[in-house]
Amino acid sequence: MSSLLTNMSAMSALQNLAATQKSLQTTQNQISSGLRVATAADNAAYWSISTTMKSDTSALSAVSDALNLGSSTLGTATAALNSTLAILQKMKADLVTAQTPGVDKSQVQSDIVSQQQSLQSIVSSASFNGVNLLDGSQGSAGGTAVSFVASFARNGDGTTSLGSINLDISASGTQLAGVGGLFAVAISGGLSATAAGNVGPGTMGATAFDAGSILAFDVSAASTTDLTAISAGIESAIKSVTAAGAKLGSVQTNINTQSTFVTSLSDAITSGVGSLEDADMNVASTRLQALQTQQQLGIQSLSIANQNSQLILKLFGG
């Protein structure tokens, strides 16, 4: 039936053209943004998942930064321990020299005082970002631990949690100064208390150093028995510092391994999010060409449908 008031062919052609235009706009948005799921309206489930995972990726990025800071902190402490070992070795050699007949012990003591001051300087400056693992500020004789953020996890119920790598300062032997620190422990033997003034008593911890501490002993008038006791103390300190260095190295290796894993995990999550929301540009470009063709055909179809009404005029001799 032909009607002047209702053109069903034109209405159908217009609906098809509108649908094609909508699909064309969607495809063009995908090509311009590169995203198949850009908003919740595109796919609510995928958008929700990808948004959550992007948030987790940001958290993992912060964890990676924290691990790098932790590694740098441990690296600074390790470098200080290595320098400490070198100085303790020099002290050990000086003590051997002091036991040699005819040697002026006061001259040996001058060299030892210089080394004691170097130890104090090394430990005081072994700080990274305000964290010093050697001076006693991060731990105590009670065993306070330093925690390095190491992981971020999303649990099955949607809650999140942080994991850490801990370093027990006192248990690892890395506390060199401060109350209970290695340098504050007296070396057995009758040593002179006046030597404490050579290195500034109290500058490395809460209390002044004992006369017999590593940073305060004096060999100027030391007997053979005293020198033997001091040498034993220095040897014990070398072993302790070596063990502390090994502990720090182990923790640093653990942190570096975790850092590598966090980077890989972040890449995997980013790849997974991409598979959910990224547009396949090959498919999108092919669909764009098809829709552009459909658009042109739809316009022609609508034009033909509109012309049908004009044919009625010929029935009236128009």
Side-chain angles (χ1 to χ4, degrees):
M1 180 184 74
S2 297
S3 172
L4 291 175
L5 301 178
T6 304
N7 190 337
M8 296 301 299
S9 297
M11 293 174 59
S12 177
L14 183 59
Q15 291 176 357
N16 290 333
L17 181 59
T20 300
Q21 294 278 39
K22 183 178 180 180
S23 298
L24 183 60
Q25 182 179 6
T26 299
T27 303
Q28 288 175 331
N29 289 338
Q30 291 180 4
I31 292 175
S32 62
S33 66
L35 296 174
R36 177 169 58 93
V37 180
T39 65
D42 297 326
N43 188 311
Y46 282 2
W47 179 84
S48 176
I49 294 172
S50 62
T51 300
T52 301
M53 298 310 293
K54 284 180 180 178
S55 174
D56 290 352
T57 301
S58 297
L60 287 174
S61 178
V63 169
S64 181
D65 292 339
L67 286 169
N68 290 334
L69 284 174
S71 180
S72 298
T73 300
L74 290 170
T76 300
T78 298
L81 286 180
N82 290 336
S83 297
T84 298
L85 280 174
I87 293 176
L88 290 176
Q89 293 288 358
K90 292 179 180 179
M91 281 187 173
K92 182 178 178 181
D94 282 342
L95 290 172
V96 173
T97 302
Q99 297 182 62
T100 303
V103 171
D104 186 350
K105 295 180 182 178
S106 63
Q107 296 296 324
V108 175
Q109 178 61 24
S110 296
D111 189 40
I112 288 177
V113 168
S114 177
Q115 293 164 3
Q116 289 170 334
Q117 292 172 342
S118 294
L119 285 177
Q120 176 176 289
S121 176
I122 289 170
V123 176
S124 295
S125 61
S127 175
F128 183 86
N129 195 34
V131 179
N132 191 322
L133 300 180
L134 308 183
D135 67 355
S137 62
Q138 301 299 317
S140 66
T144 301
V146 175
S147 296
F148 301 98
V149 176
S151 64
F152 170 86
R154 181 171 296 278
N155 305 316
D157 58 359
T159 60
T160 60
S161 60
L162 291 176
S164 62
I165 295 176
N166 299 323
L167 172 66
D168 192 320
I169 298 296
S170 62
S172 64
T174 57
Q175 183 182 342
L176 303 185
V179 179
L182 178 63
F183 290 165
V185 177
I187 300 174
S188 60
L191 305 177
S192 171
T194 59
N198 294 329
V199 294
T203 58
M204 292 288 290
T207 60
F209 294 114
D210 294 335
S213 74
I214 292 175
L215 295 181
F217 69 85
D218 191 340
V219 300
S220 299
S223 65
T224 300
T225 301
D226 290 335
L227 291 174
T228 300
I230 294 171
S231 296
I234 295 296
E235 184 64 32
S236 176
I238 290 174
K239 291 180 180 179
S240 296
V241 173
T242 300
K247 177 62 177 179
L248 287 183
S250 176
V251 175
Q252 189 172 16
T253 298
N254 192 6
I255 285 180
N256 291 339
T257 300
Q258 184 66 17
S259 180
T260 300
F261 168 72
V262 168
T263 300
S264 299
L265 179 59
S266 180
D267 290 344
I269 292 176
T270 300
S271 177
V273 170
S275 66
L276 292 178
E277 65 178 16
D278 289 355
D280 187 331
M281 301 305 290
N282 292 329
V283 174
S285 61
T286 302
R287 184 183 297 115
L288 178 64
Q289 294 179 3
L291 289 172
Q292 287 174 338
T293 301
Q294 290 179 29
Q295 182 187 44
Q296 294 173 4
L297 292 174
I299 294 174
Q300 293 179 2
S301 178
L302 180 60
S303 177
I304 293 172
N306 286 331
Q307 291 175 1
N308 287 338
S309 297
Q310 298 177 4
L311 298 177
I312 297 177
L313 293 175
K314 294 182 179 181
L315 296 176
F316 296 95

